[in-house]
Amino acid sequence: MLYIFRIIIILSAFLSWYAAASTTRTTAHTIVHHSRIHHHYLHQNKQQGHTLHHKHYLRKSHHRTKSQERRHVRLVKRKIFHAYYGWKGTPYHFGGSSHRGIDCSAFVMKMYRQVFHQDLPRTTLGQVKLGRRIRKDHAKLGDLVFFKTGRNECHVGIYLSNGDFMNSASSRGVSISNLHHVFWKRHFWQIRRLVAI
């Protein structure tokens, strides 16, 4: 009787060990399987993300044709001059920002908001920190032209073409000036590009 009881205990222990071992193998297999699935989908997502990014890049890097470029520039130029004629002749007033009187940085701020729908800082020193610096001979429509007119005085205008730029000058108010004029040539500082036209 005791012998049979010992055999039953041994068989029970063996069966418990076998069941535990089977469960461990199944769990390990499941973990490995899930790990492979995870890596598979992770790889797919990376590939998909790369593809989407590449397509997005292609859309962003699409360039206009030369004729489309010319039409676009003409459209922007019309918008700039339309906004300019609404301010033309407005007297210069330091600190002013209305048709009763406006200074250079306020004029540029108003023009950029109206034409390009961009909000610029109110001051010249705030505006000169924006965009990237451009060589004078590479200036394009819409670039900002900066001058140092005194020890602590700066001036700003919006470049047009052939050296012309619009600004609110203390002598003539809102008007068009030229970089080749002796005064502006002497006080020229830098040109910065904020928008790509």
Side-chain angles (χ1 to χ4, degrees):
M1 187 70 180
L2 183 61
Y3 178 74
I4 294 173
F5 182 70
R6 286 179 179 175
I7 291 175
I8 291 172
I9 291 175
I10 292 170
L11 286 174
S12 298
F14 174 76
L15 290 173
S16 298
W17 172 83
Y18 182 79
S22 299
T23 304
T24 303
R25 284 196 300 270
T26 304
T27 304
H29 175 73
T30 303
I31 291 171
V32 170
H33 179 65
H34 286 177
S35 177
R36 286 173 180 169
I37 292 173
H38 172 73
H39 286 298
H40 171 71
Y41 280 102
L42 185 64
H43 180 67
Q44 274 195 336
N45 288 339
K46 282 182 179 179
Q47 284 187 326
Q48 185 179 17
H50 175 72
T51 303
L52 290 174
H53 176 73
H54 183 61
K55 288 180 180 178
H56 181 63
Y57 172 76
L58 289 177
R59 284 198 300 270
K60 286 181 69 175
S61 63
H62 173 72
H63 294 291
R64 291 183 288 262
T65 64
K66 288 186 177 180
S67 60
Q68 288 174 330
E69 185 74 25
R70 286 192 293 268
R71 284 197 299 271
H72 179 68
V73 171
R74 285 197 298 268
L75 176 63
V76 174
K77 197 167 187 175
R78 282 199 298 270
K79 288 176 67 176
I80 287 179
F81 273 97
H82 176 75
Y84 165 75
Y85 285 120
W87 289 95
K88 183 182 178 181
T90 300
Y92 176 88
H93 178 68
F94 180 75
S97 59
S98 70
H99 285 88
R100 289 179 295 178
I102 190 168
D103 62 22
C104 61
S105 57
F107 171 68
V108 166
M109 182 184 71
K110 298 271 189 183
M111 290 288 292
Y112 255 68
R113 184 179 295 163
Q114 185 172 343
V115 177
F116 301 112
H117 309 290
Q118 287 193 13
D119 289 322
L120 303 189
R122 173 62 180 82
T123 65
T124 306
L125 291 178
Q127 294 169 4
V128 78
K129 296 175 183 178
L130 305 177
R132 60 190 178 94
R133 194 164 183 163
I134 299 295
R135 283 171 41 184
K136 188 189 289 189
D137 57 341
H138 288 174
K140 290 184 178 180
L141 178 70
D143 291 345
L144 297 190
V145 189
F146 293 91
F147 305 87
K148 286 186 176 180
T149 53
R151 179 176 294 180
N152 297 311
E153 296 175 359
C154 300
H155 185 74
V156 62
I158 300 175
Y159 189 83
L160 298 172
S161 61
N162 301 317
D164 289 335
F165 64 97
M166 56 180 62
N167 65 133
S168 179
S170 58
S171 56
R172 297 191 298 158
V174 175
S175 56
I176 293 177
S177 305
N178 193 281
L179 291 174
H180 303 301
H181 187 279
V182 61
F183 177 82
W184 299 116
K185 186 184 292 187
R186 183 167 65 247
H187 295 289
F188 175 79
W189 181 14
Q190 61 175 292
I191 294 177
R192 301 193 73 83
R193 182 162 299 158
L194 279 61
V195 293
I197 298 176

